[in-house]
Amino acid sequence: MNRFRAFFKNKFVLVCIALVAFMYVNNTSLLAEKRTGSPLLLAHRGLAQTFSMEGITNDTCTAARIFKPEHPYLENTIPSMEAAVKAGADIIEFDIHPTTDGQFAVFHDWTLDCRTNGKGVTREHTLDELKKLDIGYGYTYDNGKTYPFRGKGVGMMPSIDEVLAHFPEQSFLIHVKSNDPEEGKQLARYLSALPETRLKQLTIYGGDQPIEALREELPQVRVMSVSTMKSCLLPYIAVGWTGYVPEACANTQLHIPEKIAPWLWGWPDKFLNRMDARNTRTILVAGGGDFSEGFDTVEDLTRLPANYTGGIWTNRIDKIAPVFKTQ
């Protein structure tokens, strides 16, 4: 009996060793197909003013806590996007709200009170009304002693039409700011008029319901939501060690917090290769991924994996892009 138990115990140990060896070989980036090139740089809101992340909540007026300005650009404006492109951005993220006259305004906040001289909910205005506002009105870095952009942002809130027309070859990540499925349908109707070549340059993300509604109407468009990421990553975490990539991972975008990324099977190169094969883009965000944390300084880049070639989320494309341009 002891000899019988010892035999099966040894068998079990050998099977475990073989399984661990397989998992290592199948997921180590040391044996992955070599990736070349520089990281994909995603400029959050173009080139924007940045602010302290300490104690921030969803209700924080970030315009009232910016750092002392180092550049003249305001987020989500055409000049800020031009500056991001000039700096070296591969993708530009911007936010949209539907207007009462059936258009889409490019602006971040749900309400106008923080950044502008307007009041009320952004989407409860016409585009013409929004264009009359000073979107630089509320920015201050010294607790209200000075407002360096006041009077300089009048008429600068663009429409989605203006952005896409101004940058006909640029890739964009478009943020739907609600969880209303009707907004997804409205955006799908708008996008359906664009040629397929243009749609391939766009990724749409936002609440689960509008993204699901948009995907039903335009399945060829790359999308992202909490639901799509869970549908991809949860089964991948369970069985990705085998090399299997769930069908739910196809044609999506993943925003992976840097604290979580090392725990994904095959991170970084094999994971990136697997997602590339599914037409899924991987963007690494800083820290735990809260409140749009980005890789915003040269020192931040030292935390990236060696020779990393995936996407990088940054709020300071002007500081990050030159590092890779000079390599």
Side-chain angles (χ1 to χ4, degrees), residues 2-310:
N2 288 338
R3 195 178 300 175
F4 182 78
R5 288 177 178 171
F7 172 79
F8 278 98
K9 183 178 180 180
N10 291 337
K11 275 278 192 179
F12 177 75
V13 170
L14 290 173
V15 169
C16 289
I17 292 173
L19 182 60
V20 170
F22 169 79
M23 293 169 69
Y24 174 79
V25 171
N26 200 43
N27 291 284
T28 177
S29 288
L30 296 175
L31 301 177
E33 180 181 346
K34 187 176 180 180
R35 299 177 62 88
T36 59
S38 299
L40 195 71
L41 302 180
L42 193 159
H44 181 218
R45 306 185 203 171
L47 179 54
Q49 300 299 318
T50 52
F51 44 84
S52 171
M53 304 296 291
E54 184 177 354
I56 195 171
T57 70
N58 287 326
D59 297 323
T60 300
C61 177
T62 56
R65 58 187 293 165
I66 61 169
F67 297 124
K68 188 173 182 179
E70 298 179 16
H71 61 75
Y73 301 107
L74 296 173
E75 64 179 53
N76 281 316
T77 62
I78 286 177
S80 81
M81 297 179 196
E82 288 178 332
V85 171
K86 185 177 180 180
D90 297 297
I91 308 167
I92 296 174
E93 187 265 5
F94 65 83
D95 310 283
I96 59 171
H97 295 269
T99 61
T100 57
D101 54 345
Q103 302 187 66
F104 284 100
V106 178
F107 187 69
H108 176 269
D109 293 0
W110 188 263
T111 59
L112 299 167
D113 305 64
C114 169
R115 296 179 199 283
T116 83
N117 56 337
K119 300 290 183 183
V121 176
T122 303
R123 60 190 55 219
E124 294 177 357
H125 295 75
T126 66
L127 185 64
D128 285 343
E129 289 170 342
L130 294 173
K131 280 187 166 293
K132 293 176 183 176
L133 299 176
D134 178 4
I135 63 170
Y137 188 85
Y139 285 82
T140 180
Y141 67 91
D142 52 11
N143 296 314
K145 294 178 184 177
T146 61
Y147 290 86
F149 298 105
R150 186 167 286 186
K152 299 178 181 180
V154 178
M156 289 187 68
M157 189 186 302
S159 68
I160 190 173
D161 283 325
E162 291 170 317
V163 171
L164 296 184
H166 194 86
F167 302 95
E169 303 298 326
Q170 180 63 44
S171 292
F172 287 106
L173 172 62
I174 302 173
H175 189 187
V176 176
K177 299 294 291 185
S178 81
N179 197 32
D180 182 357
E182 291 304 315
E183 189 171 339
K185 294 176 183 178
Q186 180 183 344
L187 183 58
R189 289 192 296 271
Y190 171 81
L191 295 176
S192 65
L194 302 179
E196 286 295 320
T197 52
R198 188 55 163 146
L199 291 179
K200 289 180 180 179
Q201 298 170 321
L202 307 179
T203 300
I204 316 299
Y205 81 119
D208 291 344
Q209 293 189 50
I211 295 306
E212 181 180 358
L214 183 143
R215 198 174 202 182
E216 287 178 359
E217 307 227 1
L218 291 175
Q220 71 272 37
V221 174
R222 182 186 284 117
V223 297
M224 184 184 78
S225 67
V226 171
S227 178
T228 64
M229 288 201 295
K230 284 182 176 179
S231 296
C232 169
L233 290 176
L234 291 180
Y236 181 82
I237 289 169
V239 297
W241 58 273
T242 65
Y244 171 74
V245 179
E247 185 61 34
C249 293
N251 203 36
T252 62
Q253 182 155 309
L254 300 172
H255 286 188
I256 309 294
E258 63 172 315
K259 292 180 179 179
I260 294 174
W263 299 99
L264 296 174
W265 297 108
W267 181 261
D269 290 354
K270 280 207 171 180
F271 179 85
L272 293 173
N273 289 341
R274 289 167 180 169
M275 295 304 152
D276 284 352
R278 289 288 192 166
N279 192 38
T280 284
R281 180 185 290 145
T282 301
I283 305 294
L284 192 64
V285 298
D290 297 328
F291 297 105
S292 306
E293 293 180 70
F295 290 86
D296 297 338
T297 68
V298 175
E299 291 74 21
D300 289 340
L301 298 179
T302 62
R303 304 198 305 269
L304 294 174
N307 303 314
Y308 177 73
T309 61

